[in-house]
Amino acid sequence: MLTVNRYKCGYCGACVGVCPAAALELVETWIEVNDDCTRCGRCAKICPLGALELDKEAKR
Amino acid sequence: MKCDLVVVGAGPAGSMTAKAAAEAGLDVVMMEKRQEIGDPVRCAEGVSKAALKKLVEPDPSWISAEVKGARIRAPDGTEIVISEDRAGAEVGYVLERKVFDRALAQEAAEAGAKVMVKTRALGLLTEKGVPAGVVAQFVGEELKIEAPLVIGADGVESKVGRWAGIETALKPKDVETCAQFLVQDERIDDDYCEFYLGNDIAPGGYVWSFPKGRALANVGIGILGSKADSGTPIRLLRDFMKANFPEGKVLEMMVGGVPVSGPIERTVADGVILVGDAARQSDPITGGGIINAMKAGKMAGKIAADLVPRGEVDKRSLMVYEEMWRETIGKHISRNFAVKEFFVDLTDDDLNRMIHSLDGIDVAELDLKGLLKVLVRQNPKHLLKLRHLIV
Ligand SMILES: Cc1cc2nc3c(=O)[nH]c(=O)nc-3n(C[C@H](O)[C@H](O)[C@H](O)COP(=O)(O)OP(=O)(O)OC[C@H]3O[C@@H](n4cnc5c(N)ncnc54)[C@H](O)[C@@H]3O)c2cc1C
Ligand code: SF4
Ligand code: SF4
C-alpha cells in the first residue's frame, strides 16, 4: 500500500502530476489515494519531502 | 448552473483565460479548489519585466523586488554576471504571487467572470459522450455546471486533460522536483538573481536565489525527477543552506513540481482546452511558467469567445488554439526542451568549462537565447549538437 505521511506532506501536487494511474488527488492540504494505484513508486521517487512510502509487504 | 465557459483553476493561466473570455462577452465561471487563491505559493516568483509588462500593468502591491541581472556560479565556484543594461537598469521582477494571483483573479472578476473558491472540479459532465461542463464540489456540496467548453488551467496536478483522454502524466525525467525556503540573511544581494550549478548541488537542475528585498530571498532547488529519490530536494536544499547561508533564517518553506516535458502531443479535445502548467507549457530549461501560462490563457480566452457563440467547440475547431500556441510560445518551449535534454547530462567538468568560456565576454543579453548563442560560439566542439537549435 502507498502511505502518505500527512505530517510531512507540503501539499504541492507534484505526485498527482506524475501518477500514471491518476490514483492521487490533492484536496486543499492533503493527498488522497484511490484503488487505481498500481504501486509503481513513481510518486514516492519524486516527492520533494519524502512524504510517500510504498509498504514493502504489499509490493510483493 | 449554466454558462458559456468553465475555467478550472485560478492561477495565472486560469485568470488570464477568464478575463479575456469575459471581456469578449462570454458568460464565464472560474473555479478554484483552494479557499485562498494563490496560497500556498509554488513558485520562485521571478519574471522578465518586459514580458510581464506586455500582459498586465505592473502594480507595486505585487512586486517584491526588481533585479538588475543574474549571476551564474559554476560547480568550481567561478561566477559570471549577466546584466542586460550596463547602466544597471532593472530587468526582472520578483513577484509576491499570493498577491499577484489574486489580483489577476480580481481582474477576471472585474471583466465579468464569476469566481468560485473552495470549488473543486471532480470530473466532466457529458452529453451524448461529448464533454458538456463540469461536476464540482462547492464547499463540500455537489454542483453541476453545464457549459459547451471547459478550459483546464489546473496546474501541475491537472486532471481536466486526463478526463478528456489527453495523457498528461509526467515521467520522472520530465519533471523538476523542487523545494524552497524564504530566507532572511544579510549576505543576500538584493540586486541579482543567482543560479548555482553542479551535479552534487542539484542533479539535473540548479539552485536559485531570487531576492525579495530587505535581505530576503527565495532560495530553492530543482532536481530532475529521474535523478531524484524520495526527499532528495529538501535534503540537498538543507545542505546548500549549511554551506552557503549558515546563518540564514527560514521564514517560509514550500515544495512543488515543474513540468519540463516540452510540448505534449495535444492540448485540445472535444469541448476541452488546456492552458499553462496543465498543458505543460513551462520552460524546460528555466522552469519558468508564469509568462507562458498568461500568454496561453489570453489566447485560449479570446479563441473561446470567438468559437463558443458559433457552437464550434469540437476538437477540430479548437485546433486554432493548438496551432496558435505552438507557433508562438511552443517554438521556444520545443527548442529549450532539446537544449535541456542535452544539458542535464553534462558533468561538472563540462559545466565548469562552459562557465569559464564566458569569462571576459560581454554577455549583453540577459535572455536565455542570447546566452546560449554565446555559449555555442565559445564551445563550438562541445556544443556541436546544439548548434542547429540556436540560430
Ligand atoms: C518551486 C517552483 C519555482 C518556480 N519558479 C518560477 C519562477 O521563478 N518563474 C516562473 O515564471 N515560474 C516559476 N514556476 C512555475 C510557475 O509557478 C507555474 O508555471 C505557474 O504557476 C503556472 O500557472 P498555472 O496557472 O498554469 O498553474 P497554477 O499556478 O499551478 O494554478 C493552477 C490552479 O488550479 C487549481 N486547481 C487544480 N486542480 C483543480 C480542480 N480540480 N478544481 C479547481 N481548481 C483546481 C490549483 O489549486 C491552482 O490554484 C515555479 C514552479 C515551482 C514549483
Ligand atoms: S509530492 Fe509529496 S509533498 Fe507534494 S503533495 Fe505529493 S506527497 Fe505531498
Ligand atoms: S505508486 Fe504509482 S500508481 Fe500508485 S499513486 Fe504512486 S504514482 Fe500512482
Side-chain angles (χ1 to χ4, degrees):
Chain A
M1 220 184 63
L2 179 74
T3 53
V4 187
N5 184 338
R6 288 176 64 172
Y7 304 104
K8 248 188 197 180
C9 171
Y11 35 96
C12 69
C15 52
V16 181
V18 300
C19 174
L24 298 173
E25 170 79 345
L26 171 63
V27 186
E28 291 270 354
T29 56
W30 71 90
I31 288 290
E32 287 178 351
V33 191
N34 72 25
D35 294 341
D36 295 337
C37 171
T38 62
R39 306 186 184 93
C40 71
R42 202 191 268 186
C43 56
K45 180 176 168 61
I46 64 86
C47 173
L49 290 174
L52 300 170
E53 229 172 311
L54 270 178
D55 161 351
K56 297 208 175 61
E57 282 298 305
K59 211 175 167 184
R60 219 167 5 142
Chain B
M1 198 191 282
K2 274 189 181 177
C3 64
D4 297 327
L5 169 67
V6 178
V7 179
V8 179
S15 289
M16 290 300 280
T17 306
K19 183 185 169 195
E23 267 172 355
L26 286 196
D27 183 8
V28 181
V29 172
M30 173 166 73
M31 61 172 69
E32 168 55 55
K33 69 181 174 186
R34 302 171 177 191
Q35 53 191 20
E36 288 172 48
I37 288 169
D39 193 31
V41 171
R42 309 185 280 207
C43 189
E45 310 180 296
V47 286
S48 141
K49 196 167 163 176
L52 189 75
K53 275 182 161 173
K54 284 187 198 147
L55 293 156
V56 59
E57 187 65 38
D59 186 306
S61 73
W62 45 251
I63 296 168
S64 289
E66 294 189 43
V67 291
K68 295 188 173 122
R71 220 178 261 134
I72 305 181
R73 196 168 83 183
D76 67 2
T78 312
E79 277 191 354
I80 53 157
V81 179
I82 308 166
S83 186
E84 191 167 279
D85 188 318
R86 258 140 291 167
E90 281 81 10
V91 292
Y93 288 130
V94 181
L95 305 176
E96 188 65 38
R97 286 252 343 238
K98 282 173 203 166
V99 183
F100 177 73
D101 284 23
R102 202 183 56 204
L104 290 185
Q106 187 178 343
E107 288 196 10
E110 283 161 2
K114 183 178 166 78
V115 182
M116 301 179 78
V117 294
K118 212 171 171 67
T119 307
R120 183 166 57 97
L122 304 175
L124 295 174
L125 287 170
T126 52
E127 208 183 289
K128 295 182 198 127
V130 177
V134 162
V135 193
Q137 203 180 43
F138 164 69
V139 201
E141 306 289 335
E142 187 183 284
L143 175 75
K144 289 186 172 135
I145 307 181
E146 291 169 42
L149 184 62
V150 177
I151 298 191
D154 45 346
V156 67
E157 76 260 47
S158 179
K159 289 274 174 73
V160 172
R162 293 175 176 211
W163 295 330
I166 304 173
E167 179 49 42
T168 54
L170 295 162
K171 295 188 190 84
K173 76 164 200 51
D174 289 332
V175 66
E176 288 282 330
T177 163
C178 308
Q180 178 177 278
F181 294 143
L182 175 63
V183 175
Q184 191 278 331
D185 193 313
E186 292 308 321
R187 291 190 190 192
I188 286 162
D189 183 339
D190 286 339
D191 290 327
Y192 284 86
C193 285
E194 296 184 318
F195 299 89
Y196 303 81
L197 309 177
N199 286 293
D200 293 332
I201 294 173
Y206 60 86
V207 168
W208 64 81
S209 168
F210 291 0
K212 303 232 336 165
R214 296 178 50 206
L216 281 177
N218 288 328
V219 179
I221 188 169
I223 292 166
L224 199 66
S226 52
K227 300 190 183 222
D229 238 320
S230 182
T232 312
I234 191 73
R235 187 171 52 76
L236 290 182
L237 180 58
R238 286 186 183 131
D239 290 350
F240 179 85
M241 287 293 295
K242 253 185 230 145
N244 295 275
F245 297 105
E247 307 291 318
K249 302 192 179 69
V250 175
L251 303 185
E252 271 181 28
M253 73 171 272
M254 65 112 227
V255 288
V258 191
V260 290
S261 59
I264 53 174
E265 214 174 296
R266 183 156 79 80
T267 57
V268 298
D270 287 335
V272 171
I273 291 180
L274 299 180
V275 291
D277 275 14
R280 310 321 192 195
Q281 285 161 335
S282 39
D283 185 308
I285 293 189
T286 62
I290 301 171
I291 297 293
N292 284 348
M294 292 174 76
K295 285 184 178 167
K298 206 169 159 182
M299 289 179 214
K302 280 191 182 158
I303 288 170
D306 193 32
L307 295 179
V308 170
R310 293 198 256 144
E312 295 171 4
V313 292
D314 58 307
K315 184 176 152 195
R316 257 193 58 210
S317 308
L318 298 178
M319 285 302 286
V320 188
Y321 165 73
E322 185 92 49
E323 280 153 21
M324 191 184 278
W325 81 259
R326 282 184 200 275
E327 274 305 302
T328 50
I329 57 173
K331 288 200 165 152
H332 300 269
I333 301 172
S334 297
R335 182 198 64 206
N336 288 0
F337 176 71
V339 177
K340 166 219 139 192
E341 290 284 275
F342 175 80
F343 267 86
V344 293
D345 287 325
L346 294 183
T347 63
D348 280 2
D349 282 346
D350 294 332
L351 293 168
N352 287 330
R353 193 180 311 120
M354 267 203 273
I355 298 296
H356 295 172
S357 78
L358 295 174
D359 196 32
I361 301 268
D362 184 13
V363 189
E365 282 176 90
L366 180 71
D367 80 326
L368 197 64
K369 197 172 173 188
L371 183 63
L372 290 170
K373 260 190 194 164
V374 178
L375 274 175
V376 171
R377 197 175 69 217
Q378 293 298 106
N379 303 273
K381 270 200 202 125
H382 287 100
L383 300 185
L384 193 63
K385 280 193 203 145
L386 291 185
R387 243 180 67 195
H388 68 284
L389 294 168
I390 299 146
V391 269

